[in-house]
Amino acid sequence: MRLQGRRAVVTGAGGVIGAAIARAFVAEGARLCLVDVRAEAAEREQAGLGAAAFVHVADLRAPAAAEAVVEAARGALGGIDILVNNAGLYPNTPLLEMPDEEWDRVIDTNLNGPFRLARAAARAMVAQGGGGVIVNMVSGAADSARPGSVHYSASKAALASVTRSLAIELGRHGIRAVSVSPGLTLGSEVSPLSEEYTRALIAGNPLGRAARPEDTAAAVVFACSDEAAFISGSVIKVDGGGSAGRASLPLSTPRG
Ligand SMILES: NC(=O)c1ccc[n+]([C@@H]2O[C@H](COP(=O)([O-])OP(=O)(O)OC[C@H]3O[C@@H](n4cnc5c(N)ncnc54)[C@H](O)[C@@H]3O)[C@@H](O)[C@H]2O)c1
């Protein structure tokens, strides 16, 4: 059991990837605070995990939410060793039509919330004597723009930058920070993906499929385990090579 006795907060735990992370964490011996704005979705996941997990319902866009999450985790678990900033939104709107409200909603959810929670969790980790891991869920969109995702790409690029700052400022307290970048993952109820987008991404993937939530959960478990003791500040991509190049291009030289 690679996370035996670790006390973890997983945000967006009612979603596809967050639920897989929660299951993998419990299987590795962790105890969990499951955070989501959707109470029913989080409670559905908790029901399958039993006493190892409890639910804290919060809208992480609210400035006061981060302190409340950390207080709830400390109260129920006795401390906090791992934070997984996984909650996120990925709406899609062309740049020329982008309303301020949507830009703000995505930046608040994907960047401001995770920053505040990372800061609150890090303060708690330092106060309990140091040590800990913070994982930020980023995306290939952080490095590679795509139509309609100016806010999403900006939020994830900035979050990967936050990971690097956490790594360099918190390393002396024994705290590591890692970005995990999942490939296309199907099944979100909150941010559904169109068939054309899904088809195009799978066609360009060297392994020819979408990521399974369990693929990403396995990387998060590794990042939080002692096996990753010297990994900090970097991005672990779980995208089947999707960001490695243009797999769907033909050969450039005429053949035959
Ligand atoms: N699905 C993909 O293809 C993909 C690819 C790359 C990165 N990601 C990232 O992985 C993470 C998880 O994505 P997913 O596919 O599981 O999405 P999802 O929509 O299934 O889950 C996200 C969860 O976050 C919760 N959430 C959203 N806003 C919140 C808020 N303000 N406060 C609290 N909870 C909130 C939602 O209720 C939901 O349960 C996200 O950060 C996403 O950007 C997803």
Side-chain angles (χ1 to χ4, degrees), residues 11-19 35-38 41-42 57-62 85-90 105 108-110 137-141 152 156 159 180-193 197 201 216:
T11 72
V16 188
I17 295 173
V35 182
D36 209 291
V37 68
R38 297 182 304 140
V57 177
D59 183 341
L60 294 164
R61 292 176 300 172
N85 264 325
N86 164 76
L89 287 179
Y90 36 106
R105 187 155 46 92
D108 280 346
T109 306
N110 295 4
M137 205 57 69
V138 299
S139 162
Y152 183 71
K156 294 298 188 179
L159 188 57
V180 171
S181 181
L184 170 78
T185 308
L186 307 178
S188 171
E189 295 164 5
V190 181
S191 304
L193 300 167
Y197 180 82
L201 272 183
T216 298

Side-chain angles (χ1 to χ4, degrees), residues 200-218:
L201 272 183
I202 291 176
N205 189 287
L207 294 179
R209 67 165 173 86
R212 300 183 189 107
E214 294 74 19
D215 295 326
T216 298

